[in-house]
Amino acid sequence: MEAIERFQQAMLRKERHRSQYILDTLLATVAALFVTALIYLFKLYPKIPNISLLYILIVLALASTRGRYPAIIASIIAFLSFDFFLVPPLFKFTISKLDE
């Protein structure tokens, strides 16, 4: 009987509520866009070519504290925002140089 109760409790712990997914999505999006805004405002990308490694800190922090889902969302948002806002030609999802 205890095994069934433990299994049910484990299943309840694994269930994530819709509000948690919304919170994780917002947190991942805001964190990735915040790093993009810092890089863009201080014009760090041309000066420091490997500045995109800052995104890894956000992804790792979210993965260790919130789980896999927000880390994946943050990495996708970080890739898209880095390409759109920082890589020339700006504000397009294309790149002018293949090494970028």
Side-chain angles (χ1 to χ4, degrees), residues 30-45:
V30 167
L33 290 177
F34 179 73
V35 170
T36 303
L38 286 178
I39 295 170
Y40 184 77
L41 291 175
F42 292 114
K43 301 192 186 320
L44 297 175
Y45 174 61

Side-chain angles (χ1 to χ4, degrees), residues 3-4 23-24 32 41 53 62-64 67 73-74 89 93 96-97 99:
I4 294 173
L23 179 65
D24 287 345
L41 291 175
L53 292 176
L62 286 171
S64 64
I73 296 296
F93 286 112
S96 60
K97 299 178 189 174
D99 54 333

Side-chain angles (χ1 to χ4, degrees), residues 75-91:
S75 64
I76 291 169
I77 298 294
F79 167 73
L80 292 174
S81 64
F82 185 79
D83 185 29
F84 191 76
F85 293 111
L86 301 172
V87 176
L90 297 179
F91 310 116

Side-chain angles (χ1 to χ4, degrees), residues 7-94:
F7 178 73
Q8 289 174 343
Q9 289 174 355
M11 293 303 290
L12 288 175
R13 273 186 254 134
K14 286 185 179 181
E15 276 185 25
R16 296 185 75 173
H17 298 290
R18 185 179 208 179
S19 62
Q20 284 180 321
Y21 279 114
I22 292 171
L23 179 65
D24 287 345
T25 303
L26 287 175
L27 187 63
T29 303
V30 167
L33 290 177
F34 179 73
V35 170
T36 303
L38 286 178
I39 295 170
Y40 184 77
L41 291 175
F42 292 114
K43 301 192 186 320
L44 297 175
Y45 174 61
K47 295 176 188 174
I48 306 170
N50 293 335
I51 197 69
S52 62
L53 292 176
L54 285 177
Y55 292 113
I56 292 177
L57 298 175
I58 298 297
V59 171
L60 288 175
L62 286 171
S64 64
T65 57
R66 302 296 292 182
R68 185 184 319 161
Y69 174 75
I72 291 171
I73 296 296
S75 64
I76 291 169
I77 298 294
F79 167 73
L80 292 174
S81 64
F82 185 79
D83 185 29
F84 191 76
F85 293 111
L86 301 172
V87 176
L90 297 179
F91 310 116
K92 293 182 182 177
F93 286 112
T94 58

